[in-house]
Amino acid sequence: MPRNQQILLDNRPQGEATAGNFRLAATDTPPLQDGQVLVRHHYLSLDPYMRGRMNDSKSYAASQPLGEVMIGGTVGEVAESRHPRFAVGDKVVGMGGWQEWSVVDGNAPGMLRKVDTTHVPLSHYLGAVGMPGVTAWYGLVKIIEPRAGETMVVSAASGAVGSAFGALAKARGCRVVGIAGGPDKCRYVTGELGFDACIDHREHGDLKAMSRALKDTCPDGIDGYFENVGGYILDAVLLRANAFARVAVCGMIAGYDGQPLPLQNPALILINRMKVQGFIVSEHMEVWPDALKELGGLVATGKLRPRESVALGLASAPEAFLGLLKGKNFGKQLVKLV
Ligand SMILES: NC(=O)c1ccc[n+]([C@@H]2O[C@H](COP(=O)([O-])OP(=O)(O)OC[C@H]3O[C@@H](n4cnc5c(N)ncnc54)[C@H](OP(=O)(O)O)[C@@H]3O)[C@@H](O)[C@H]2O)c1
């Protein structure tokens, strides 16, 4: 059985996460038992939620235990199988974690799913046609409930979730405005992803400047906001929100290292009679089939062209992950393992 490189959570961050929180280890993969499948991971997904799991505080999910392989989504190929539904060579998506190989119980519900790579590249099953894409779908379709002609705004617009949100909202006839960090990301958001406008939050780095930029790019106000970041951007959106606007609170990455995210004008939620709702995509498994079908179609027809940042080799995962928390990624952050 192959030797397996792994990255473990060694200790918990005190404030900002660092590479020293992780430890590289190696072990032999155990021989397969009946019903088990050996998967060789081709790509590991790095996602902002992993930062929350590194803490030992109360959250919607249990903390990542110390000394164990970091949690994470993976795509790969079946290398050996003792399960009738999986054959050597099958392409699969699962939660293999930060390691090169995993032994999976083929009978455990939701642990391993076969995917079709005829029209959709394998790596996209960790991004646009995977958990981040479904996240965008849920927030847009189930919380914001957009109508054609309405104005939608999304922060972290060039990223895995934000880019899918844009394509889904455009497909419903909305005007879509993105917020992203830097001119390259903004050019990609309007040029490649087809958003109607994009605001560079580095150029508009405070409430007044962001609010003015939103006024310019959203002349009819904002009807739906998909929140990925938090802080002054949310305040600026509240200032430009229309009556009965809806906010899907998906993430607040600006605060994941413990930074406070005060809200200056919460009274606008009342004045504008707004709906503000948080959600966790893994609690809504019932929507995944419909969402994945639509997202797969958008990618296969070229209406959604997701971009990827690919780090090479398992050992590069900690630095790539820390970069993701600072906006160094450009599109879905992956680690290529094969
Ligand atoms: N609720 C759920 O179930 C669920 C599921 C998946 C993801 N999420 C959330 O969705 C959001 C996007 O996730 P993703 O996987 O698509 O990541 P991503 O957008 O591909 O990457 C994260 C991006 O966040 C932006 N960012 C980081 N720090 C920032 C800061 N201080 N201020 C402004 N922007 C900052 C950066 O983009 P810029 O350079 O453009 O600023 C960075 O590239 C995250 O908040 C994540 O936690 C939630």
Side-chain angles (χ1 to χ4, degrees):
M1 297 297 279
R3 191 88 179 139
N4 186 19
Q5 293 236 55
Q6 306 176 313
I7 292 180
L8 319 179
L9 182 64
D10 187 60
N11 55 82
R12 301 199 187 279
Q14 308 296 321
E16 200 169 303
T18 69
N21 298 132
F22 303 97
R23 178 162 55 89
L24 194 61
T27 174
D28 292 326
T29 50
L32 293 190
Q33 312 282 321
D34 275 346
Q36 289 185 329
V37 178
L38 176 68
V39 181
R40 181 167 200 190
H41 300 156
H42 289 200
Y43 290 94
L44 160 67
S45 176
L46 295 179
D47 296 272
Y49 75 83
M50 294 164 174
R51 177 63 190 84
R53 301 290 173 91
M54 294 170 75
N55 294 341
D56 200 7
S57 47
K58 182 177 176 289
S59 186
Y60 61 89
S63 299
Q64 160 79 41
L66 291 178
E68 290 191 14
V69 176
M70 275 292 295
I71 186 176
T74 45
V75 288
E77 188 170 315
V78 173
E80 203 182 316
S81 177
R82 289 186 61 179
H83 192 286
R85 267 194 302 114
F86 295 97
V88 171
D90 281 349
K91 301 289 190 293
V92 287
V93 57
M95 289 296 289
W98 295 27
Q99 55 183 342
E100 295 172 325
W101 301 81
S102 60
V103 172
V104 187
D105 175 359
N107 291 317
M111 286 304 283
L112 203 60
R113 185 166 54 86
K114 282 198 252 188
V115 293
D116 180 357
T117 53
T118 318
H119 302 293
V120 174
L122 184 60
S123 58
H124 287 356
Y125 287 99
L126 294 175
V129 193
M131 183 278 284
V134 180
T135 301
W137 192 97
Y138 188 87
L140 179 70
V141 176
K142 294 295 183 184
I143 296 178
I144 295 176
E145 300 181 280
R147 288 179 287 270
E150 287 190 327
T151 299
M152 301 291 131
V153 174
V154 57
S155 47
S158 73
V161 175
S163 54
F165 179 89
L168 293 165
K170 286 307 289 180
R172 286 161 176 75
C174 297
R175 174 175 173 78
V176 190
V177 175
I179 299 171
D184 288 349
K185 286 186 178 179
C186 282
R187 255 192 306 277
Y188 164 71
V189 165
T190 50
E192 277 285 301
L193 294 175
F195 282 52
D196 297 283
C198 186
I199 301 168
D200 180 352
H201 68 77
R202 296 206 188 128
E203 198 187 322
H204 302 88
D206 59 35
L207 175 56
K208 204 168 154 202
M210 180 56 69
S211 164
R212 206 178 314 117
L214 284 169
K215 189 176 183 190
D216 293 344
T217 51
C218 305
D220 298 328
I222 298 169
D223 302 297
Y225 175 53
F226 192 96
E227 171 66 299
N228 282 324
V229 169
Y232 76 95
I233 296 179
L234 178 55
D235 265 317
V237 167
L238 290 181
L239 285 171
R240 298 289 159 214
N242 289 330
F244 305 106
R246 292 83 67 200
V247 178
V249 183
C250 170
M252 294 209 166
I253 197 168
Y256 287 4
D257 272 327
Q259 307 89 325
L261 297 174
L263 201 54
Q264 291 193 28
N265 297 302
L268 288 168
I269 297 170
L270 170 63
I271 292 164
N272 292 326
R273 290 86 81 209
M274 292 174 67
K275 168 182 169 187
V276 180
Q277 188 177 327
F279 71 101
I280 297 299
V281 69
S282 53
E283 293 177 347
H284 302 282
M285 295 313 290
E286 73 287 353
V287 309
W288 283 54
D290 282 350
L292 289 174
K293 193 167 166 209
E294 180 176 358
L295 291 156
L298 288 172
V299 170
T301 54
K303 290 185 182 132
L304 169 55
R305 287 196 292 275
R307 190 177 161 128
E308 297 173 334
S309 277
V310 183
L312 297 180
L314 186 71
S316 67
E319 285 300 341
F321 173 65
L322 299 173
L324 169 75
L325 298 176
K326 294 190 180 316
K328 289 187 184 157
N329 64 310
F330 191 161
K332 172 69 206 165
Q333 182 66 59
L334 298 166
V335 181
K336 192 171 189 310
L337 301 172
V338 173

